[in-house]
Amino acid sequence: MAVRFLWKAAAFVEKYRTGLLAVSCAGLFGANLSYHVFPKQTFKLYYQSWTEGQPAELPEKLHSLFHDVLRDVGVKSVNCYQPFATFGFFPVSTGIPWLPAGSLVGIPPNFNSTAEDKQGIVNHVVVINGRKVDWESEEGLALKNALILSPEAQKFSIAREVVYLQCNSPLVRAAVPPACLAGTCLSAVAVKQLLGLYSGPIVFRGIYNITVAAIGLVGYFLAYDAVNHALDYRSDRKAATISKEYARGGVEFYDKILSCNRTLRTLLGKQGEKMYAPSGNLFPRYWFRLKHTPYTSRRDLIVNILKVPQA
């Protein structure tokens, strides 16, 4: 019974493969883009910071900082970008500016802190490994210092999120899975016809299909990571070339991230040693993938920009 069902399913896929491929690619593209199309109903609900059961309001100081960054980046449609208060330590973003819902940029509470006034950090409870962080301990002081950014570093971190959205990076990332699926299927059919496997034993076709699927999956992982790295580098480069102040802020920003990750490595113990390298970079979860762009290389990119005279 199961063999007959599989045989019929294979025949159905073979008959309608073009339509099924088109529907699958469209579905993948839509699924990867869904939270960018409806950012307030998806992304914001997850990343919104809450205070006493209510959504936290972004301080006026950070609203002003955000609009200064939009002006420096050269954004014409200011209303397409909306800031909100997010939890965590560093900015996040989502959305497509030219769609009706626009884009959202989340700004964390520690951006309201300065070297003189650390209240934006110490008045928030941070729990790591099931324990509250003691801000007066050695690790707490190191984490506190890593979370205090200069205005230039804050501007750079927000600018790179704005530039990331401005360059339609979410669209590019969402296009990678359907492009890899289509490329794998079309090339598999072409090679199968070239080798004459359609007239050969079904066992050979089955082995061939499994092999192609495995190669396609690995190719997708490599392509997705490569595109992700390229988009990150492009956003960093564009934000750093706004001015020397932004470039210097970018170097500080990534130095602070590395310092923060090294402190978290200590606070988390064995779990932290698995997540963070001694340098502060994130350890890849899988040996064949480098999902996150190394922070050291992103910092070095900006350092090299600063070395160029016309920068």
Side-chain angles (χ1 to χ4, degrees):
M1 189 70 179
V3 174
R4 286 185 60 189
F5 174 78
L6 291 174
W7 183 263
K8 288 183 179 181
F12 178 82
V13 171
E14 192 70 28
K15 184 177 181 180
Y16 300 103
R17 63 188 178 193
T18 302
L20 289 173
L21 178 60
V23 171
S24 299
C25 290
L28 273 176
F29 184 74
N32 281 279
L33 207 61
S34 59
Y35 69 92
H36 292 290
V37 178
F38 307 103
K40 292 183 180 179
Q41 291 77 18
T42 55
F43 186 88
K44 187 176 181 180
L45 291 179
Y46 181 78
Y47 282 97
Q48 175 72 59
S49 175
W50 293 76
T51 303
E52 298 178 354
Q54 298 294 326
E57 293 292 333
L58 196 67
E60 187 60 34
K61 170 189 170 183
L62 297 184
H63 270 286
S64 177
L65 178 71
F66 181 75
H67 288 289
D68 288 343
V69 171
L70 293 182
R71 184 185 65 249
D72 293 339
V73 173
V75 173
K76 296 180 180 179
S77 302
V78 177
N79 294 332
C80 295
Y81 298 86
Q82 297 295 326
F84 71 99
T86 181
F87 65 86
F89 300 142
F90 304 107
V92 292
S93 63
T94 187
I96 301 172
W98 45 268
L99 288 181
S103 298
L104 298 175
V105 177
I107 302 177
N110 55 295
F111 273 41
N112 199 33
S113 301
T114 62
E116 295 77 24
D117 181 12
K118 302 180 177 65
Q119 290 304 312
I121 296 176
V122 297
N123 61 5
H124 283 75
V125 177
V126 177
V127 179
I128 297 177
N129 237 9
R131 294 179 298 176
K132 293 182 181 180
V133 173
D134 180 7
W135 295 113
E136 299 305 320
S137 66
E138 183 179 350
E139 292 81 7
L141 289 172
L143 183 61
K144 191 186 332 182
N145 290 331
L147 297 179
I148 298 174
L149 304 178
S150 69
E152 291 77 16
Q154 293 178 354
K155 285 185 175 182
F156 170 85
S157 65
I158 296 173
R160 74 162 308 278
E161 298 296 333
V162 173
V163 170
Y164 183 85
L165 299 173
Q166 195 178 38
C167 295
N168 294 314
S169 298
L171 281 172
V172 177
R173 290 183 63 179
V176 174
C180 290
L181 176 63
T184 301
C185 292
L186 295 176
S187 60
V189 171
V191 173
K192 201 182 293 184
Q193 291 176 342
L194 183 65
L195 297 178
L197 292 179
Y198 282 108
S199 58
I202 190 172
V203 175
F204 289 166
R205 293 205 302 271
I207 295 173
Y208 172 80
N209 290 335
I210 293 173
T211 304
V212 168
I215 294 173
L217 186 62
V218 173
Y220 158 70
F221 288 142
L222 296 177
Y224 187 85
D225 292 346
V227 169
N228 191 43
H229 293 184
L231 295 175
D232 282 339
Y233 288 135
R234 182 178 67 174
S235 300
D236 289 340
R237 187 181 300 108
K238 285 181 175 292
T241 52
I242 293 175
S243 68
K244 283 188 176 181
E245 287 72 22
Y246 274 81
R248 285 193 287 266
V251 175
E252 178 193 336
F253 176 67
Y254 286 118
D255 278 336
K256 293 283 189 174
I257 289 181
L258 292 168
S259 176
C260 177
N261 289 350
R262 288 193 295 267
T263 305
L264 291 176
R265 174 184 165 92
T266 302
L267 288 171
L268 290 170
K270 291 184 178 180
Q271 183 183 356
E273 292 177 1
K274 294 179 181 179
M275 293 176 60
Y276 303 104
S279 63
N281 285 320
L282 293 171
F283 272 134
R285 295 182 62 183
Y286 309 102
W287 65 269
F288 60 89
R289 293 196 66 182
L290 187 60
K291 189 174 181 180
H292 299 281
T293 311
Y295 294 121
T296 49
S297 63
R298 297 173 75 170
R299 179 195 59 194
D300 294 343
L301 170 70
I302 303 172
V303 170
N304 291 332
I305 290 175
L306 276 172
K307 291 179 180 179
V308 179
Q310 58 267 32

